[in-house]
Amino acid sequence: FSPSITKIGNKAFCECFKLNQISFPSSLISIGSKAFANCPLLTKVSIPPSVKSFGSEIFNKCNDISEIECDPSQTSITTILNDASSLTKLVIYPTVESLKNVNFSQFTNIKDIIIPASFKIIGESLFINCTYLKQISIPLSVTTIEKNAFKGCSSLEQISIPSKVTTIENNAFYGCSNL
């Protein structure tokens, strides 16, 4: 894409069956509904923090997307994907400090979540029922792990809690049977 593109319209690249890679410019502000729907070869998507307007089902029927890099506080990832069953890795942008009213429970196959060093709070129910999540590195900047943050992460085998953490709320690791 040209570095000056600010908007990608509805269904702009819909049914581009051989499209396997996208590199969005940092100038991009808006992605329309189903802009990349039914592009079955896409496997990795990185949505720049500049994007503020999201249409629905942007990557609908892109069933091989296994990794997304984004700011989940901007939009629901399930709104972007429609089906998150193939998603195994989530990279949260380094500028994000916390996520409120967001949880990743619909990502039943997620194994790897990269939390940025800027994070201060692991929000309530953020990783609830991420049953395939085996390990997670909590950044040194985190001070609070809110209630139910990792509840039901039954595959979680390893976690390191930084010394700056002053509060671990109720049920934060409830049901983490492999810890």
Side-chain angles (χ1 to χ4, degrees), residues 14-66:
C14 186
E15 296 186 1
C16 290
F17 298 116
K18 294 186 179 185
L19 183 65
N20 62 9
Q21 185 176 341
I22 304 169
S23 181
F24 293 120
S26 59
S27 59
L28 189 63
I29 296 169
S30 174
I31 304 175
S33 293
K34 296 185 178 181
F36 297 92
N38 205 11
C39 296
L41 298 181
L42 284 176
T43 58
K44 181 180 176 183
V45 175
S46 181
I47 300 171
S50 58
V51 178
K52 304 298 181 202
S53 175
F54 296 88
S56 63
E57 301 179 352
I58 294 170
F59 298 101
N60 188 36
K61 295 184 181 177
C62 296
N63 297 330
D64 285 341
I65 292 178
S66 61

Side-chain angles (χ1 to χ4, degrees), residues 105-125:
S105 62
Q106 68 273 24
F107 305 128
T108 54
N109 292 321
I110 203 150
K111 296 176 186 172
D112 192 11
I113 298 172
I114 308 298
I115 302 173
S118 57
F119 242 58
K120 292 181 178 21
I121 297 171
I122 305 290
E124 180 179 338
S125 302

Side-chain angles (χ1 to χ4, degrees), residues 90-94 96-99 104 112-123 126-127 133 135-142 150 159:
L90 173 66
V91 178
I92 302 170
Y93 276 123
V96 179
E97 292 185 0
S98 68
L99 295 171
F104 301 113
D112 192 11
I113 298 172
I114 308 298
I115 302 173
S118 57
F119 242 58
K120 292 181 178 21
I121 297 171
I122 305 290
L126 187 60
F127 303 110
L133 188 62
Q135 66 180 21
I136 194 156
S137 292
I138 297 178
L140 297 175
S141 56
V142 170
F150 295 96
I159 194 155

Side-chain angles (χ1 to χ4, degrees), residues 139-154:
L140 297 175
S141 56
V142 170
T143 60
T144 302
I145 301 172
E146 292 186 345
K147 67 181 179 181
N148 302 320
F150 295 96
K151 182 179 180 181
C153 294
S154 55

